[in-house]
């Protein structure tokens, strides 16, 4: 089945530092979604990328979809303590089934 | 608008017992999904309903798991008999039928512990 590799598994930064998490697939993806899960919470949809080379921004968050549609990244500029949580990428396949990466847990120290 | 709700929030049962998890999707959402996250691992797809029909159940681990969505509203996921490896957080998600977006709305999850 489809697999999505996500790195790093964990990152601890100081508030104000940048953060990036990467997703890679061996197969071409139709589209990719990003979710955030706060500690003790549930995944919350952030964004969906569909087009090759697409770049979308949400305030301090920048999402990219690779030209070959096999990789994606999420970059947070100047992290804040409210950014703490686990960030998941998820490939959409079949009839909207999501295949999740293992997630990157982000810890931000003040 | 009320979000996806799940019941119970936590369940602790002994190996061999039966547990039934319930999910109430957002009103009007025809798509309903079940996912599971085992400690330290990725969130894995279990199955997908469109209204009352099972669209895809390829992620169901084995025949100890039974999902239903009678009437196309709420769904139940029964585990019988439960095994230790069934422990984890079970998430339900729902989404409307749309052509342009597959955004899924997740419930708070049910944390299942099998001892």
């Amino acid at each position: 089945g489809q697999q999505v590799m996500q790195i790093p598994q964990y990152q601890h930064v100081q508030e104000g530092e940048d953060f990036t998490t990467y997703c890679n697939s061996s197969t071409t993806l139709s589209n990719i979604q990003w979710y955030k899960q706060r500690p003790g919470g549930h995944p919350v949809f952030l964004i969906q990328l569909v087009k090759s080379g697409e770049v979308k921004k949400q305030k301090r968050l920048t999402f990219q979809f690779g030209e070959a549609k096999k990789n994606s990244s999420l970059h947070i500029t100047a992290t804040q303590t409210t950014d703490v949580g686990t960030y998941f990428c998820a490939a959409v396949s079949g009839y909207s089934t999501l295949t999740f990466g293992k997630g990157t847990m982000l810890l931000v120290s003040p | 608008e009320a979000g996806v709700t799940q019941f119970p929030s936590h369940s602790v049962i002994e190996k061999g017992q039966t547990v039934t998890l319930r999910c109430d999707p957002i009103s009007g959402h025809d798509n309903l999904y079940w996912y599971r996250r085992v400690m330290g691992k990725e969130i894995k797809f279990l199955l997908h309903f469109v209204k009352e029909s099972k669209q895809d159940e390829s992620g169901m681990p084995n025949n100890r798991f039974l999902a239903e969505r009678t009437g196309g509203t709420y769904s139940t996921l029964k585990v019988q008999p439960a095994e230790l490896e069934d422990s984890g957080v079970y998430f339900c998600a729902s989404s409307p039928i749309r052509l342009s977006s597959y955004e899924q709305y997740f419930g708070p999850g049910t944390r299942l512990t099998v001892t």
Side-chain angles (χ1 to χ4, degrees):
Chain A
Q2 185 169 63
Q3 283 190 318
V4 178
M5 307 302 294
Q6 187 172 358
I7 58 169
Q9 281 191 286
Y10 172 85
Q11 189 152 7
H12 184 183
V13 301
Q14 294 292 317
E15 192 171 23
E17 292 182 334
D18 292 355
F19 160 78
T20 305
T21 173
Y22 302 89
C23 273
N24 289 285
S25 170
S26 58
T27 59
T28 301
L29 304 172
S30 58
N31 48 29
I32 194 162
Q33 298 183 354
W34 285 90
Y35 289 79
K36 176 184 178 181
Q37 183 176 2
R38 294 182 184 275
H42 57 275
V44 175
F45 176 81
L46 294 177
I47 208 159
Q48 174 171 271
L49 304 172
V50 178
K51 299 177 183 176
S52 168
E54 188 169 18
V55 178
K56 286 189 176 180
K57 292 191 175 185
Q58 290 179 350
K59 297 183 180 178
R60 295 177 294 103
L61 277 60
T62 301
F63 304 84
Q64 292 189 326
F65 203 5
E67 292 290 342
K69 298 183 74 174
K70 289 185 175 182
N71 61 306
S72 181
S73 65
L74 158 59
H75 179 83
I76 302 179
T77 303
T79 55
Q80 299 175 357
T81 54
T82 52
D83 296 325
V84 164
T86 300
Y87 292 84
F88 293 95
C89 61
V92 182
S93 59
Y95 193 78
S96 69
T97 299
L98 296 180
T99 301
F100 283 87
K102 286 192 173 183
T104 297
M105 182 185 296
L106 172 63
L107 181 62
V108 181
S109 295
Chain B
E1 179 183 82
V4 177
T5 58
Q6 292 186 245
F7 182 84
S9 56
H10 294 83
S11 180
V12 181
I13 61 172
E14 293 183 352
K15 176 181 173 181
Q17 290 186 322
T18 297
V19 63
T20 300
L21 314 181
R22 173 171 169 146
C23 168
D24 286 77
I26 293 173
S27 178
H29 282 193
D30 289 335
N31 288 312
L32 188 149
Y33 310 83
W34 283 98
Y35 293 90
R36 175 174 73 176
R37 189 178 189 199
V38 172
M39 179 77 78
K41 298 197 173 182
E42 66 268 34
I43 301 170
K44 282 206 168 180
F45 166 79
L46 296 178
L47 89 158
H48 170 208
F49 283 100
V50 177
K51 297 184 180 179
E52 67 275 9
S53 299
K54 291 177 184 174
Q55 180 71 34
D56 182 353
E57 52 183 328
S58 61
M60 294 288 263
N62 50 60
N63 59 10
R64 295 185 293 103
F65 289 74
L66 175 63
E68 295 181 324
R69 192 182 182 195
T70 307
T73 54
Y74 71 91
S75 174
T76 58
L77 179 64
K78 180 190 285 189
V79 185
Q80 179 183 30
E83 298 289 342
L84 297 178
E85 64 263 26
D86 300 333
S87 295
V89 181
Y90 289 77
F91 289 106
C92 173
S94 72
S95 70
I97 299 286
R98 279 187 198 150
L99 295 177
S100 61
S101 172
Y102 299 108
E103 174 183 350
Q104 296 184 16
Y105 299 81
F106 281 75
T110 293
R111 182 174 295 279
L112 175 64
T113 303
V114 183
T115 62

